[in-house]
Amino acid sequence: MTTYPTTPFDGQKPGTSGLRKKTKVFMQPNFLENFVQATFDAIGGVAGKTLVLGGDGRYFGDSAAQVILKMAAANGAARVIVGQGAWLSTPAASNLIRQRKADGGLILSASHNPGGPDEDFGLKYNMANGGPAPEAVTEAIFARSKVITEFRKLEAPDVNLEMVGESHLGGMTVEVVDPVCDYADLMETIFDFKALRGLFHEGFAMRMDSMCAITGPYAVEIFENRLGAPKGSVVHETPLPDFGGMHPDPNPTWAHELMAEMMGDAAPDFGAASDGDGDRNMILGRGVYVSPSDSIAVLAANAHLVPGYAGGLKGVARSMPTSAAVDRVAAALAIECYETPTGWKFFGNLMDAGRVSLCGEESFGTGSDHVREKDGLWAVLMWLNIIAARGQGVAEIMADHFTRFGRNYYSRHDYEALPSDVANAMLGDLRDRLDGLKGVVVQGLVVESSDEFSYTDPVDGSVSAQQGFRILFEGGSRAVLRLSGTGTEGATLRVYLERYVPGPEGLDADPQDALAPIIAATEEIVGIRARTGRQGPDVIT
Ligand code: VG1
Ligand code: CO
């Protein structure tokens, strides 16, 4: 039997990046099957198609891979290319889809969310361009999930995913590939590996924290094996089903071990961390933390020093809540800067149309058109290549950047697991009051304008409404508020705060101090503490 009757589950609506749920929700009988069949149905079936499959090694990923393989076979797929052990980082999956001209891919990951039987699991569909499915497709998947009556799955023994090579499942070929080598080869085409080898040869010290997640094997191969960084430069390098209990989110709060080392007396020259599925990055120098919004700006300003971008950038793009630091660089380079909603899926059309080369988000995401996902190790290599080319450390590069462009002080405050009704009512009230805020004076700041961000894709004309509230103050400061689309518990409120200081005075303040007036004004306008009963944010980045 290959066709099984089923009934719909509620809530199979993909969020900012795929469907994310508690692992136990995903493990319920038929839950995964329904979502996979809804995906296959929504993309017009998979008969005769080639798919890529892999994930970040988290708990349940290997079993889910077996289910997906049997379903792909029963649905008539021609070939599935799987990373050995069902492993593929998100950028490596994106690369494989493109390189092998596959029709699409399935990525088993909840990204930066913790993993394990009591934590989170996720599944995401990527298109033939290697990028996350756009909203039209995720809406179609959700619509299909609500009316699904059956799914197809081959009855067959599990496929051996531990050995590289080909095997057959029904009429379908399963090709198990080394998850690392194609990606590492791609990096060699972009960066000056010779210069980087020289850097490490001269004793440049780096700490890469893979947080027991998927980038470990990639980072060991690239930094230690190919570039000659000393063994042990990469730590937490073995992917574990529960990430060793770590929260694989590369920010100062969750990557605290690395933070402590980089801020300590014996800090190496350079530090970096990446997330569960390898698409995020955090960059640190000795005693310096680089905010992600600044990182994308620095990469844009220095990209011409990297062989892959020596011809200049076509344009850049950033998500709306990301600071305008990169806008200033784009203006200086006389290239276009696009502002998109949160989520990498909105960059795909711009890259495919040749309008942008570099994209970034404030949430530790940076990438380029070498793939169609953000790419953590790529960002680390960009920084290393720029350090090698300039012969300067992170602190000098940052100071120079601020002197040249001024500084967009920036911070994000997250209030996690709020009751959904409280969060929705708070933002609903804000929506009702938006029009009346213009001209209002709060904490000495004048509201210049306020709106709810709506995006019209310049390539295909599709519209994405309700993408976050913006409160702009006179003088270029702003607060942005939106609800997370990746959480699995209640609602997470994200408050993004920004203030521009042109310099030369005031370029080295503490961001929380520099932003204090904006924080206070936002509190007065929205009443977050009063309405949620929280004393302050759970995570500050
Ligand atoms: C968050 C980030 C967003 C990012 C998304 C997926 O979404 O804010 O910038 O694209 O995660 O990243 P949200 O809706 O929770 O704010 V990942 O590395 O989790 O795939
Ligand atoms: Co991620």
mmCIF file of all heavy atoms in Angstrom, residues 15-18 20 90 109-113 124 249-250 275-280 319 321-322 341-345 347 361-365 373-374 412 414 482-487 492 494 496, ligand 1:
data_model
loop_
_atom_site.group_PDB
_atom_site.id
_atom_site.type_symbol
_atom_site.label_atom_id
_atom_site.label_comp_id
_atom_site.label_asym_id
_atom_site.label_seq_id
_atom_site.Cartn_x
_atom_site.Cartn_y
_atom_site.Cartn_z
ATOM 1 N N GLY A 15 6.134 29.771 8.690
ATOM 2 C CA GLY A 15 6.360 31.125 9.205
ATOM 3 C C GLY A 15 7.437 31.848 8.423
ATOM 4 O O GLY A 15 7.569 31.674 7.210
ATOM 5 N N THR A 16 8.255 32.643 9.136
ATOM 6 C CA THR A 16 9.301 33.423 8.471
ATOM 7 C C THR A 16 10.198 32.511 7.634
ATOM 8 O O THR A 16 10.656 32.876 6.565
ATOM 9 C CB THR A 16 10.159 34.172 9.512
ATOM 10 O OG1 THR A 16 9.292 34.865 10.420
ATOM 11 C CG2 THR A 16 11.081 35.169 8.852
ATOM 12 N N SER A 17 10.464 31.306 8.146
ATOM 13 C CA SER A 17 11.341 30.393 7.429
ATOM 14 C C SER A 17 10.922 28.957 7.708
ATOM 15 O O SER A 17 11.473 28.288 8.566
ATOM 16 C CB SER A 17 12.786 30.645 7.871
ATOM 17 O OG SER A 17 13.664 29.811 7.175
ATOM 18 N N GLY A 18 9.927 28.485 6.990
ATOM 19 C CA GLY A 18 9.476 27.101 7.129
ATOM 20 C C GLY A 18 8.515 26.890 8.284
ATOM 21 O O GLY A 18 8.141 27.823 8.989
ATOM 22 N N ARG A 20 7.814 25.495 11.878
ATOM 23 C CA ARG A 20 8.543 25.136 13.109
ATOM 24 C C ARG A 20 7.549 24.832 14.211
ATOM 25 O O ARG A 20 6.608 25.589 14.435
ATOM 26 C CB ARG A 20 9.468 26.280 13.545
ATOM 27 C CG ARG A 20 10.530 26.518 12.504
ATOM 28 C CD ARG A 20 11.564 27.522 12.952
ATOM 29 N NE ARG A 20 12.339 27.907 11.776
ATOM 30 C CZ ARG A 20 13.303 28.811 11.774
ATOM 31 N NH1 ARG A 20 13.628 29.420 12.908
ATOM 32 N NH2 ARG A 20 13.952 29.103 10.674
ATOM 33 N N THR A 90 22.127 24.769 5.765
ATOM 34 C CA THR A 90 21.176 25.447 4.876
ATOM 35 C C THR A 90 21.875 26.048 3.652
ATOM 36 O O THR A 90 21.427 25.830 2.522
ATOM 37 C CB THR A 90 20.368 26.482 5.683
ATOM 38 O OG1 THR A 90 19.481 25.756 6.534
ATOM 39 C CG2 THR A 90 19.576 27.412 4.802
ATOM 40 N N SER A 109 15.199 21.480 9.656
ATOM 41 C CA SER A 109 15.841 22.341 10.643
ATOM 42 C C SER A 109 14.852 23.311 11.259
ATOM 43 O O SER A 109 13.896 23.726 10.605
ATOM 44 C CB SER A 109 16.948 23.166 9.975
ATOM 45 O OG SER A 109 17.418 24.143 10.873
ATOM 46 N N ALA A 110 15.090 23.650 12.514
ATOM 47 C CA ALA A 110 14.383 24.788 13.108
ATOM 48 C C ALA A 110 15.409 25.875 13.385
ATOM 49 O O ALA A 110 15.245 26.692 14.292
ATOM 50 C CB ALA A 110 13.629 24.380 14.358
ATOM 51 N N SER A 111 16.497 25.828 12.596
ATOM 52 C CA SER A 111 17.501 26.888 12.598
ATOM 53 C C SER A 111 18.069 27.184 13.985
ATOM 54 O O SER A 111 18.653 26.316 14.605
ATOM 55 C CB SER A 111 16.909 28.136 11.966
ATOM 56 O OG SER A 111 17.905 29.068 11.717
ATOM 57 N N HIS A 112 17.870 28.413 14.469
ATOM 58 C CA HIS A 112 18.486 28.811 15.739
ATOM 59 C C HIS A 112 17.686 28.333 16.946
ATOM 60 O O HIS A 112 18.097 28.570 18.081
ATOM 61 C CB HIS A 112 18.622 30.333 15.787
ATOM 62 C CG HIS A 112 17.282 31.012 15.727
ATOM 63 N ND1 HIS A 112 16.549 31.086 14.568
ATOM 64 C CD2 HIS A 112 16.533 31.605 16.689
ATOM 65 C CE1 HIS A 112 15.410 31.719 14.827
ATOM 66 N NE2 HIS A 112 15.376 32.041 16.106
ATOM 67 N N ASN A 113 16.544 27.693 16.728
ATOM 68 C CA ASN A 113 15.774 27.204 17.880
ATOM 69 C C ASN A 113 16.462 25.960 18.453
ATOM 70 O O ASN A 113 17.018 25.163 17.702
ATOM 71 C CB ASN A 113 14.357 26.815 17.464
ATOM 72 C CG ASN A 113 13.554 27.977 16.876
ATOM 73 O OD1 ASN A 113 14.129 28.958 16.438
ATOM 74 N ND2 ASN A 113 12.252 27.852 16.855
ATOM 75 N N LYS A 124 11.484 22.970 5.839
ATOM 76 C CA LYS A 124 11.359 24.104 4.930
ATOM 77 C C LYS A 124 11.545 23.627 3.506
ATOM 78 O O LYS A 124 12.399 22.783 3.237
ATOM 79 C CB LYS A 124 12.457 25.098 5.306
ATOM 80 C CG LYS A 124 12.519 26.320 4.441
ATOM 81 C CD LYS A 124 13.384 27.370 5.086
ATOM 82 C CE LYS A 124 14.841 27.175 4.761
ATOM 83 N NZ LYS A 124 15.601 28.421 4.834
ATOM 84 N N ASP A 249 22.057 29.772 18.834
ATOM 85 C CA ASP A 249 21.730 31.078 18.286
ATOM 86 C C ASP A 249 22.940 31.970 18.529
ATOM 87 O O ASP A 249 23.257 32.294 19.679
ATOM 88 C CB ASP A 249 20.486 31.615 19.000
ATOM 89 C CG ASP A 249 19.871 32.795 18.269
ATOM 90 O OD1 ASP A 249 20.494 33.274 17.301
ATOM 91 O OD2 ASP A 249 18.782 33.225 18.671
ATOM 92 N N PRO A 250 23.682 32.332 17.487
ATOM 93 C CA PRO A 250 24.947 33.039 17.685
ATOM 94 C C PRO A 250 24.731 34.506 18.022
ATOM 95 O O PRO A 250 24.794 35.371 17.170
ATOM 96 C CB PRO A 250 25.635 32.885 16.322
ATOM 97 C CG PRO A 250 24.509 32.789 15.344
ATOM 98 C CD PRO A 250 23.354 32.144 16.060
ATOM 99 N N ASP A 275 24.770 29.372 13.700
ATOM 100 C CA ASP A 275 23.568 28.823 14.335
ATOM 101 C C ASP A 275 23.327 27.367 13.952
ATOM 102 O O ASP A 275 24.159 26.742 13.286
ATOM 103 C CB ASP A 275 22.344 29.685 13.991
ATOM 104 C CG ASP A 275 21.893 29.517 12.548
ATOM 105 O OD1 ASP A 275 22.753 29.224 11.701
ATOM 106 O OD2 ASP A 275 20.682 29.675 12.276
ATOM 107 N N GLY A 276 22.184 26.826 14.382
ATOM 108 C CA GLY A 276 21.851 25.426 14.181
ATOM 109 C C GLY A 276 22.090 24.960 12.759
ATOM 110 O O GLY A 276 22.791 23.974 12.514
ATOM 111 N N ASP A 277 21.542 25.667 11.788
ATOM 112 C CA ASP A 277 21.606 25.216 10.400
ATOM 113 C C ASP A 277 22.673 25.933 9.583
ATOM 114 O O ASP A 277 22.753 25.746 8.364
ATOM 115 C CB ASP A 277 20.234 25.351 9.728
ATOM 116 C CG ASP A 277 19.760 26.792 9.652
ATOM 117 O OD1 ASP A 277 20.131 27.589 10.532
ATOM 118 O OD2 ASP A 277 19.020 27.127 8.708
ATOM 119 N N GLY A 278 23.472 26.774 10.241
ATOM 120 C CA GLY A 278 24.659 27.327 9.584
ATOM 121 C C GLY A 278 24.436 28.533 8.705
ATOM 122 O O GLY A 278 25.326 28.922 7.950
ATOM 123 N N ASP A 279 23.260 29.163 8.793
ATOM 124 C CA ASP A 279 23.070 30.335 7.929
ATOM 125 C C ASP A 279 23.300 31.655 8.665
ATOM 126 O O ASP A 279 23.361 32.706 8.035
ATOM 127 C CB ASP A 279 21.704 30.306 7.221
ATOM 128 C CG ASP A 279 20.539 30.184 8.172
ATOM 129 O OD1 ASP A 279 20.764 30.117 9.402
ATOM 130 O OD2 ASP A 279 19.389 30.163 7.688
ATOM 131 N N ARG A 280 23.431 31.613 9.997
ATOM 132 C CA ARG A 280 23.691 32.854 10.745
ATOM 133 C C ARG A 280 25.151 32.952 11.146
ATOM 134 O O ARG A 280 25.858 31.948 11.215
ATOM 135 C CB ARG A 280 22.859 32.903 12.023
ATOM 136 C CG ARG A 280 21.388 32.951 11.778
ATOM 137 C CD ARG A 280 20.656 33.195 13.080
ATOM 138 N NE ARG A 280 19.225 33.274 12.814
ATOM 139 C CZ ARG A 280 18.346 33.834 13.612
ATOM 140 N NH1 ARG A 280 18.744 34.360 14.765
ATOM 141 N NH2 ARG A 280 17.076 33.870 13.296
ATOM 142 N N SER A 319 16.761 43.746 5.313
ATOM 143 C CA SER A 319 15.388 43.671 5.795
ATOM 144 C C SER A 319 15.050 44.998 6.465
ATOM 145 O O SER A 319 15.940 45.698 6.957
ATOM 146 C CB SER A 319 15.215 42.514 6.769
ATOM 147 O OG SER A 319 15.942 42.746 7.952
ATOM 148 N N PRO A 321 13.765 45.947 9.365
ATOM 149 C CA PRO A 321 14.234 46.295 10.715
ATOM 150 C C PRO A 321 15.755 46.437 10.842
ATOM 151 O O PRO A 321 16.247 46.929 11.855
ATOM 152 C CB PRO A 321 13.757 45.108 11.572
ATOM 153 C CG PRO A 321 12.721 44.410 10.761
ATOM 154 C CD PRO A 321 13.102 44.630 9.329
ATOM 155 N N THR A 322 16.501 45.994 9.858
ATOM 156 C CA THR A 322 17.964 46.132 9.885
ATOM 157 C C THR A 322 18.331 47.610 9.805
ATOM 158 O O THR A 322 17.649 48.380 9.127
ATOM 159 C CB THR A 322 18.569 45.353 8.691
ATOM 160 O OG1 THR A 322 18.143 43.996 8.794
ATOM 161 C CG2 THR A 322 20.090 45.414 8.677
ATOM 162 N N PRO A 341 10.821 42.961 3.578
ATOM 163 C CA PRO A 341 10.340 42.443 4.861
ATOM 164 C C PRO A 341 11.348 41.451 5.460
ATOM 165 O O PRO A 341 12.262 40.980 4.770
ATOM 166 C CB PRO A 341 9.041 41.728 4.513
ATOM 167 C CG PRO A 341 8.632 42.269 3.185
ATOM 168 C CD PRO A 341 9.913 42.598 2.485
ATOM 169 N N THR A 342 11.162 41.100 6.709
ATOM 170 C CA THR A 342 12.012 40.133 7.398
ATOM 171 C C THR A 342 11.899 38.749 6.762
ATOM 172 O O THR A 342 10.803 38.288 6.473
ATOM 173 C CB THR A 342 11.591 40.068 8.878
ATOM 174 O OG1 THR A 342 11.858 41.334 9.462
ATOM 175 C CG2 THR A 342 12.347 38.994 9.626
ATOM 176 N N GLY A 343 13.031 38.079 6.581
ATOM 177 C CA GLY A 343 13.037 36.716 6.034
ATOM 178 C C GLY A 343 13.790 36.674 4.722
ATOM 179 O O GLY A 343 13.624 37.545 3.864
ATOM 180 N N TRP A 344 14.660 35.657 4.578
ATOM 181 C CA TRP A 344 15.537 35.615 3.409
ATOM 182 C C TRP A 344 14.769 35.416 2.107
ATOM 183 O O TRP A 344 15.235 35.760 1.030
ATOM 184 C CB TRP A 344 16.601 34.516 3.593
ATOM 185 C CG TRP A 344 17.863 34.853 2.890
ATOM 186 C CD1 TRP A 344 18.279 34.382 1.675
ATOM 187 C CD2 TRP A 344 18.880 35.766 3.325
ATOM 188 N NE1 TRP A 344 19.488 34.949 1.348
ATOM 189 C CE2 TRP A 344 19.876 35.798 2.342
ATOM 190 C CE3 TRP A 344 19.030 36.572 4.468
ATOM 191 C CZ2 TRP A 344 21.016 36.593 2.444
ATOM 192 C CZ3 TRP A 344 20.160 37.354 4.580
ATOM 193 C CH2 TRP A 344 21.140 37.365 3.580
ATOM 194 N N LYS A 345 13.552 34.865 2.194
ATOM 195 C CA LYS A 345 12.804 34.572 0.961
ATOM 196 C C LYS A 345 12.556 35.822 0.125
ATOM 197 O O LYS A 345 12.366 35.726 -1.084
ATOM 198 C CB LYS A 345 11.485 33.873 1.294
ATOM 199 C CG LYS A 345 10.546 34.666 2.176
ATOM 200 C CD LYS A 345 9.363 33.785 2.605
ATOM 201 C CE LYS A 345 8.538 34.469 3.680
ATOM 202 N NZ LYS A 345 7.939 33.527 4.611
ATOM 203 N N PHE A 347 14.706 38.147 -0.564
ATOM 204 C CA PHE A 347 15.894 38.569 -1.318
ATOM 205 C C PHE A 347 16.040 37.804 -2.645
ATOM 206 O O PHE A 347 16.733 38.252 -3.549
ATOM 207 C CB PHE A 347 17.169 38.351 -0.498
ATOM 208 C CG PHE A 347 17.258 39.210 0.742
ATOM 209 C CD1 PHE A 347 17.648 38.661 1.957
ATOM 210 C CD2 PHE A 347 16.977 40.567 0.693
ATOM 211 C CE1 PHE A 347 17.748 39.442 3.104
ATOM 212 C CE2 PHE A 347 17.078 41.365 1.826
ATOM 213 C CZ PHE A 347 17.459 40.793 3.042
ATOM 214 N N GLU A 361 20.494 40.847 7.245
ATOM 215 C CA GLU A 361 19.448 41.071 8.231
ATOM 216 C C GLU A 361 20.103 41.327 9.576
ATOM 217 O O GLU A 361 21.185 40.806 9.855
ATOM 218 C CB GLU A 361 18.548 39.837 8.358
ATOM 219 C CG GLU A 361 17.716 39.560 7.133
ATOM 220 C CD GLU A 361 16.638 38.519 7.450
ATOM 221 O OE1 GLU A 361 16.955 37.324 7.442
ATOM 222 O OE2 GLU A 361 15.505 38.921 7.712
ATOM 223 N N GLU A 362 19.380 42.080 10.416
ATOM 224 C CA GLU A 362 19.916 42.399 11.743
ATOM 225 C C GLU A 362 20.058 41.153 12.621
ATOM 226 O O GLU A 362 20.756 41.183 13.625
ATOM 227 C CB GLU A 362 19.047 43.440 12.446
ATOM 228 C CG GLU A 362 17.534 43.143 12.499
ATOM 229 C CD GLU A 362 17.147 41.914 13.268
ATOM 230 O OE1 GLU A 362 17.721 41.713 14.360
ATOM 231 O OE2 GLU A 362 16.285 41.154 12.799
ATOM 232 N N SER A 363 19.382 40.074 12.236
ATOM 233 C CA SER A 363 19.341 38.864 13.051
ATOM 234 C C SER A 363 20.535 37.947 12.755
ATOM 235 O O SER A 363 20.385 36.745 12.703
ATOM 236 C CB SER A 363 18.036 38.126 12.791
ATOM 237 O OG SER A 363 17.883 37.900 11.392
ATOM 238 N N PHE A 364 21.707 38.537 12.563
ATOM 239 C CA PHE A 364 22.936 37.770 12.367
ATOM 240 C C PHE A 364 22.918 36.990 11.051
ATOM 241 O O PHE A 364 23.460 35.900 10.965
ATOM 242 C CB PHE A 364 23.206 36.856 13.577
ATOM 243 C CG PHE A 364 23.332 37.614 14.871
ATOM 244 C CD1 PHE A 364 22.208 38.023 15.589
ATOM 245 C CD2 PHE A 364 24.579 37.973 15.352
ATOM 246 C CE1 PHE A 364 22.318 38.762 16.760
ATOM 247 C CE2 PHE A 364 24.703 38.714 16.519
ATOM 248 C CZ PHE A 364 23.571 39.111 17.230
ATOM 249 N N GLY A 365 22.272 37.578 10.056
ATOM 250 C CA GLY A 365 22.213 36.932 8.748
ATOM 251 C C GLY A 365 22.846 37.805 7.677
ATOM 252 O O GLY A 365 22.493 38.973 7.537
ATOM 253 N N GLU A 373 20.523 31.583 0.175
ATOM 254 C CA GLU A 373 20.250 31.582 1.604
ATOM 255 C C GLU A 373 21.304 32.468 2.247
ATOM 256 O O GLU A 373 22.352 32.720 1.649
ATOM 257 C CB GLU A 373 20.376 30.168 2.192
ATOM 258 C CG GLU A 373 19.266 29.202 1.789
ATOM 259 C CD GLU A 373 18.020 29.354 2.656
ATOM 260 O OE1 GLU A 373 17.963 30.279 3.494
ATOM 261 O OE2 GLU A 373 17.103 28.531 2.475
ATOM 262 N N LYS A 374 21.053 32.905 3.455
ATOM 263 C CA LYS A 374 22.131 33.563 4.163
ATOM 264 C C LYS A 374 23.161 32.498 4.518
ATOM 265 O O LYS A 374 22.851 31.307 4.503
ATOM 266 C CB LYS A 374 21.619 34.306 5.398
ATOM 267 C CG LYS A 374 20.807 33.489 6.395
ATOM 268 C CD LYS A 374 20.195 34.438 7.414
ATOM 269 C CE LYS A 374 19.545 33.713 8.578
ATOM 270 N NZ LYS A 374 18.136 33.364 8.333
ATOM 271 N N ARG A 412 18.311 45.203 19.383
ATOM 272 C CA ARG A 412 17.006 44.545 19.311
ATOM 273 C C ARG A 412 16.666 44.006 20.688
ATOM 274 O O ARG A 412 17.490 43.336 21.313
ATOM 275 C CB ARG A 412 17.043 43.407 18.294
ATOM 276 C CG ARG A 412 15.685 42.741 18.106
ATOM 277 C CD ARG A 412 15.753 41.700 16.999
ATOM 278 N NE ARG A 412 15.776 40.359 17.566
ATOM 279 C CZ ARG A 412 15.867 39.242 16.834
ATOM 280 N NH1 ARG A 412 15.980 39.316 15.533
ATOM 281 N NH2 ARG A 412 15.857 38.073 17.416
ATOM 282 N N ASP A 414 14.051 41.565 22.663
ATOM 283 C CA ASP A 414 13.042 40.517 22.464
ATOM 284 C C ASP A 414 12.304 40.200 23.766
ATOM 285 O O ASP A 414 12.939 39.976 24.805
ATOM 286 C CB ASP A 414 13.711 39.219 21.987
ATOM 287 C CG ASP A 414 14.255 39.331 20.572
ATOM 288 O OD1 ASP A 414 13.763 40.185 19.807
ATOM 289 O OD2 ASP A 414 15.174 38.552 20.241
ATOM 290 N N ARG A 482 7.604 44.216 15.711
ATOM 291 C CA ARG A 482 6.902 43.157 14.970
ATOM 292 C C ARG A 482 6.904 41.882 15.795
ATOM 293 O O ARG A 482 7.688 41.750 16.748
ATOM 294 C CB ARG A 482 7.504 42.901 13.584
ATOM 295 C CG ARG A 482 8.941 42.440 13.583
ATOM 296 C CD ARG A 482 9.451 42.184 12.161
ATOM 297 N NE ARG A 482 9.020 40.885 11.649
ATOM 298 C CZ ARG A 482 9.600 39.717 11.956
ATOM 299 N NH1 ARG A 482 10.635 39.663 12.801
ATOM 300 N NH2 ARG A 482 9.162 38.580 11.448
ATOM 301 N N LEU A 483 6.024 40.961 15.431
ATOM 302 C CA LEU A 483 6.000 39.668 16.119
ATOM 303 C C LEU A 483 6.820 38.666 15.324
ATOM 304 O O LEU A 483 6.787 38.648 14.101
ATOM 305 C CB LEU A 483 4.562 39.169 16.264
ATOM 306 C CG LEU A 483 3.655 39.999 17.174
ATOM 307 C CD1 LEU A 483 2.274 39.368 17.249
ATOM 308 C CD2 LEU A 483 4.244 40.131 18.584
ATOM 309 N N SER A 484 7.540 37.839 16.039
ATOM 310 C CA SER A 484 8.367 36.810 15.411
ATOM 311 C C SER A 484 7.504 35.804 14.665
ATOM 312 O O SER A 484 6.396 35.479 15.093
ATOM 313 C CB SER A 484 9.163 36.090 16.502
ATOM 314 O OG SER A 484 9.536 34.804 16.063
ATOM 315 N N GLY A 485 8.053 35.281 13.565
ATOM 316 C CA GLY A 485 7.369 34.228 12.825
ATOM 317 C C GLY A 485 8.154 32.930 12.861
ATOM 318 O O GLY A 485 7.991 32.081 11.993
ATOM 319 N N THR A 486 9.024 32.774 13.865
ATOM 320 C CA THR A 486 9.788 31.527 13.964
ATOM 321 C C THR A 486 9.623 30.837 15.311
ATOM 322 O O THR A 486 10.111 29.737 15.492
ATOM 323 C CB THR A 486 11.301 31.761 13.769
ATOM 324 O OG1 THR A 486 11.738 32.698 14.754
ATOM 325 C CG2 THR A 486 11.620 32.296 12.389
ATOM 326 N N GLY A 487 8.967 31.493 16.248
ATOM 327 C CA GLY A 487 8.843 30.928 17.595
ATOM 328 C C GLY A 487 7.857 29.772 17.611
ATOM 329 O O GLY A 487 7.089 29.576 16.664
ATOM 330 N N THR A 492 6.455 36.148 20.369
ATOM 331 C CA THR A 492 7.687 36.854 20.714
ATOM 332 C C THR A 492 7.643 38.224 20.061
ATOM 333 O O THR A 492 7.495 38.339 18.844
ATOM 334 C CB THR A 492 8.923 36.061 20.237
ATOM 335 O OG1 THR A 492 9.024 34.868 21.019
ATOM 336 C CG2 THR A 492 10.198 36.882 20.396
ATOM 337 N N ARG A 494 9.457 41.562 18.972
ATOM 338 C CA ARG A 494 10.780 42.105 18.700
ATOM 339 C C ARG A 494 10.661 43.616 18.569
ATOM 340 O O ARG A 494 9.822 44.121 17.815
ATOM 341 C CB ARG A 494 11.339 41.535 17.405
ATOM 342 C CG ARG A 494 11.384 40.006 17.359
ATOM 343 C CD ARG A 494 12.465 39.533 16.404
ATOM 344 N NE ARG A 494 12.378 38.110 16.095
ATOM 345 C CZ ARG A 494 12.715 37.118 16.913
ATOM 346 N NH1 ARG A 494 13.121 37.389 18.153
ATOM 347 N NH2 ARG A 494 12.629 35.859 16.530
ATOM 348 N N TYR A 496 12.993 46.813 17.610
ATOM 349 C CA TYR A 496 14.260 47.168 16.975
ATOM 350 C C TYR A 496 14.483 48.666 17.150
ATOM 351 O O TYR A 496 13.608 49.469 16.807
ATOM 352 C CB TYR A 496 14.213 46.845 15.487
ATOM 353 C CG TYR A 496 13.730 45.449 15.114
ATOM 354 C CD1 TYR A 496 12.367 45.149 15.051
ATOM 355 C CD2 TYR A 496 14.635 44.438 14.791
ATOM 356 C CE1 TYR A 496 11.931 43.882 14.669
ATOM 357 C CE2 TYR A 496 14.199 43.166 14.400
ATOM 358 C CZ TYR A 496 12.843 42.900 14.348
ATOM 359 O OH TYR A 496 12.406 41.655 13.970
HETATM 360 C C1 VG1 B 1 13.954 35.452 12.579
HETATM 361 C C2 VG1 B 1 14.763 36.665 12.183
HETATM 362 C C3 VG1 B 1 14.760 36.819 10.677
HETATM 363 C C4 VG1 B 1 15.295 35.531 10.037
HETATM 364 C C5 VG1 B 1 14.490 34.353 10.526
HETATM 365 C C6 VG1 B 1 15.023 33.037 10.019
HETATM 366 O O1 VG1 B 1 12.614 35.613 12.174
HETATM 367 O O2 VG1 B 1 14.253 37.826 12.799
HETATM 368 O O3 VG1 B 1 15.542 37.932 10.325
HETATM 369 O O4 VG1 B 1 15.225 35.610 8.645
HETATM 370 O O5 VG1 B 1 14.498 34.312 11.944
HETATM 371 O O6 VG1 B 1 16.349 32.861 10.382
HETATM 372 P P1 VG1 B 1 11.459 36.087 13.167
HETATM 373 O O7 VG1 B 1 10.198 36.017 12.356
HETATM 374 O O8 VG1 B 1 11.481 35.172 14.350
HETATM 375 O O9 VG1 B 1 11.827 37.475 13.571
HETATM 376 V V1 VG1 B 1 16.886 31.315 10.784
HETATM 377 O O10 VG1 B 1 18.561 31.349 10.869
HETATM 378 O O11 VG1 B 1 16.050 31.036 12.142
HETATM 379 O O12 VG1 B 1 16.357 30.401 9.480
#
